Amino acid sequence: MCGIIGIVGQRDVAARLVDGLRRMEYRGYDSAGICTAHDGQLLRRRAEGKLVGLVNELAQNPASGSTGIAHTRWATHGAPVEKNAHPHATEHVALVHNGIIENFKELRDELRADGRTFESETDTEVVVHLISRRIEQGLAPEDAVAEVLPRLRGAFALAIVFRDHPDMLIGARLGSPLVVGYGEGEMYLGSDALALAPLTQQIAYLEEGDWVTITRDSATIRDLDGNTVERAVQESGATAAMIEKGNYNHFMQKEIFEQPTVVAQTLRSYLRPGEQRVALPQIDFDISSIDRVTIVACGTSYYAAMVAKYWFEQFARVPVDIDFASEFRYREPVLTKGGLALFISQSGETADTLAALRHCREQGQVIAAVVNVPTSSMAREADLLLPTHAGPEIGVASTKAFTCQLAVLAALSAHFAVKKGLMDREEEAEVVKHLLEAPACLNAALDHDEDIAAMAHLIAPARDVLYLGRGADFPLALEGALKLKEISYIHAEGYASGEMKHGPIALIDDSVPVIVLAPSGPLFDKTVSNMQEVQARGGKVVLISDAKGIAQAGEDCMAVIEMPKVHPLIAPLVYAVPVQLLAYHVAVAKGTDVDQPRNLAKSVTVE
Ligand code: HGA
């Protein structure tokens, strides 16, 4: 959320700053802005709404200057209007911010009492005034920043430009991500390596509390205590091509179709097909001694956690608690020493999940992280890093990250069971066999894209939609409902199918489509009974099942979507495809902005 970029360059930087914002627009699109230092002035250009507004503004009012900062915003404090757009500036200083300054009210009162006036409703603007006040009193930029940073509570990544020092920028991070990019006679700051991909591959990841001064040819990094520190410069491997749509209409569509490839890619790191074994990265703790697992996540990752609970308990017979990260820390969870705390996050930067991770670390938990960005904060802070290899996910609605998370979690639960002596070689070989079938089954599910597109018009006019599932497919019902809400703005709910009669069935009438996820298998008959209870009350059902299930129960349905016959272990991966495609095609039918849905942004770096 909120994307930041800064360049100390050799020539005008405005075009490259905007280009960087384009690669980060998925992080927020409430407004965009840039500020350059040029000829003894700060040149600031901002526009409300998507990046195109800023592009138009710059066409009218170009901004020269070889040093500058830029921002794409997801508003937390203050409406998404131009006056709240970053950069925020005084005559001397301008800055961009990702995060929330929690004590901004008391700082603002102090600054107002000192005669300073505010232009915006943001929390961010206090930071620019605090720094500017010290600069106006004669402090050098670094001294001013060093004095102000300890006064800020909350989370921030900052990039700061100074009118009278046009050859430098200062960056700082606490809680929100920031990287330093090393170029040829140029230096960069960015929210992530992808933002800097066409500029440089040489990246240093700032640690919590670090702040940095960059010039054209140097980066001086200091830690919280002001000591100069070294942070390793690494090859990022990020390329601009990773974030292109190719022949697809939307990133979300591209990412749905990438799933067979990226799930196979992910499984390659967790399975040894030749030996029919599950193989995890080196674990330097005794996994068999873990007697309790706590999984913490948000959004789609939380639904992956719900599926994992079924697997962990079924295979490894270990009790699993799952929590929304935003609730976890505040309910005083009981964590017995030596338990495993597992965090799931696409970006590895999700603020609530990261805070929960640190809380668990303090409580003596062993920390594991399933993340898609192996250089992220969670990846760096975990004892056991379990990366997904989904590649950059740009569509705001998560798709391929989810199925890759499931692939990792299935392998982890089997590994756990093997280590606990609860899964023998034969059973392990079976798990490996079924997981290896997943990419082909995902492909077979994708073959139904056109059928799903053709029936999307049945759902598009609905005001409410229900999704039902049982067992490990129940979380898929929740995920299906979330996908539909996120991108088509149709109200949707997921329920465990057996729960319908305890309340939600009261909602049923012929205007509420009910999507039933029911692979044939041990739970099929029970789910079909719940489906018939819906139909008996005039409910219109879309049945997602395999050929056998459809033959048995598809007759009175409004529509059916046929999936390949799959083993129950991989059903949650495969059934993710039709719910993703259904949400996608309904959104397209409704004409909403699939990749940049209203009010949302990716990589949720604020609490
Ligand atoms: N609090 C600032 C920055 C918001 C942000 O980082 N969102 O992810 C604002 O509201 O402008």
Side-chain angles (χ1 to χ4, degrees), residues 242-257:
M242 284 174 165
I243 43 174
E244 274 160 21
K245 281 200 283 249
N247 292 329
Y248 292 94
N249 293 323
H250 298 98
F251 281 111
M252 182 184 180
Q253 186 189 27
K254 173 178 174 236
E255 289 160 5
I256 291 172
F257 276 84

Side-chain angles (χ1 to χ4, degrees), residues 374-393:
T375 49
S376 58
S377 301
M378 280 180 225
R380 283 179 280 139
E381 294 184 28
D383 302 308
L384 174 61
L385 168 61
L386 300 165
T388 50
H389 300 289
E393 190 180 65

